Amino acid sequence: MKAKEGTCILWAALDNGLYIPNLCAVREIKPPFASCRLCFVEIEGRNAPVTACTEPVNDGMVVNLNTSKIKRLRNTAFELLLSHHHLDCAHCDKNRNCELQNIASHLGLKLKPKRFKRIPRELPIDSSHTLFTYDPNKCVICGKCVWVCQKQGSGILDFAYRGIDTVVSTFSGMPLSDAGCTSCLACVAVCPVGALVAKLGVGPIFLPRAGI
Ligand code: FES
């Protein structure tokens, strides 16, 4: 496999047609968020698995993408993530275009795993903006919207609270319509799930530069 020096394992693998599950990675974010914990791989000669989005490739490096340890770690991270996610694919605008569905299919997992108790959030949905809706109950805290909102110059989205209570929010949780949003819709374009979705009638959304 060929890769530019300094590239992380994740991008090297994806650029060479090898899929590694990932939700929070963006090429331009350095250092990476590394928050989803889905991209674990094992490197020969290392004691512990590493996240592919944080580990640069090296000449001669041997990387295993699918050992039993990796599967266990990935599946656990994914199932924990789903235990908070509002699952209603049939009525979700992102149905069939959702990264959670893609990852579940890649890992051979169900979207309603039974291993962990489900503790879905019940936070208010923000429909105040004329062009899009934000449903925090579907957010996977990947941080892409926070990053792109800052990159586009608005910077109205950020993380609030910690741990299991972490949410993406405007300052003081004010409605999106009052928060100074410039309506670029970049957050909608980068959201990998159904948390930020365009309202009916809003045409296709393109980012000025993908980087994702
Ligand atoms: S893609 Fe590596 S931790 Fe999310």
Side-chain angles (χ1 to χ4, degrees), residues 13 17-18 30 33 35 42 56 68 71 79-80 87 94 111 116 129 138-139 143 149 159 194 197:
L18 294 169
K30 287 179 185 129
F33 285 142
S35 59
E42 277 195 292
S68 52
K71 282 186 197 161
E79 289 177 33
L80 279 171
L87 280 166
K94 271 289 184 88
L111 277 168
F116 301 111
H129 198 284
K138 293 182 184 170
C139 176
C149 187
F159 297 109
V197 291

Side-chain angles (χ1 to χ4, degrees), residues 30-97:
K30 287 179 185 129
F33 285 142
S35 59
C36 74
R37 318 309 283 173
L38 292 173
C39 68
F40 278 114
V41 294
E42 277 195 292
I43 299 172
E44 275 187 25
R46 298 272 188 99
N47 292 336
V50 296
T51 42
C53 64
T54 54
E55 194 71 25
V57 288
N58 278 317
D59 212 14
M61 180 186 249
V62 178
V63 182
N64 293 310
L65 309 184
N66 233 0
T67 62
S68 52
K69 203 186 266 181
I70 295 303
K71 282 186 197 161
R72 216 169 40 243
L73 279 171
R74 275 203 306 235
N75 292 2
T76 300
F78 189 64
E79 289 177 33
L80 279 171
L81 206 150
L82 286 175
S83 68
H84 298 293
H85 185 75
H86 178 83
L87 280 166
D88 186 14
C89 297
H91 299 104
C92 179
D93 288 351
K94 271 289 184 88
N95 192 16
R96 296 178 194 281
N97 184 24

Side-chain angles (χ1 to χ4, degrees), residues 87-163:
L87 280 166
D88 186 14
C89 297
H91 299 104
C92 179
D93 288 351
K94 271 289 184 88
N95 192 16
R96 296 178 194 281
N97 184 24
C98 168
E99 206 47 43
L100 288 176
Q101 292 176 327
N102 293 342
I103 293 171
S105 140
H106 174 84
L107 298 180
L109 292 174
K110 294 204 182 322
L111 277 168
K112 289 193 180 167
K114 301 208 167 71
R115 195 150 57 115
F116 301 111
K117 185 171 179 259
R118 282 193 50 71
I119 21 177
R121 303 157 181 224
E122 287 181 18
L123 299 168
I125 296 171
D126 188 340
S127 302
S128 62
H129 198 284
T130 47
L131 300 179
F132 68 101
T133 302
Y134 170 49
D135 182 348
N137 306 303
K138 293 182 184 170
C139 176
V140 288
I141 320 291
C142 68
K144 286 178 176 172
C145 57
V146 173
W147 164 75
V148 86
C149 187
Q150 280 168 13
K151 184 180 146 79
Q152 295 289 92
S154 297
I156 63 155
L157 296 177
D158 208 343
F159 297 109
Y161 311 112
R162 285 170 179 231

Side-chain angles (χ1 to χ4, degrees), residues 14 28 91 100 178 207-208:
L14 294 176
E28 286 181 35
H91 299 104
L100 288 176
D178 301 339
L207 273 176

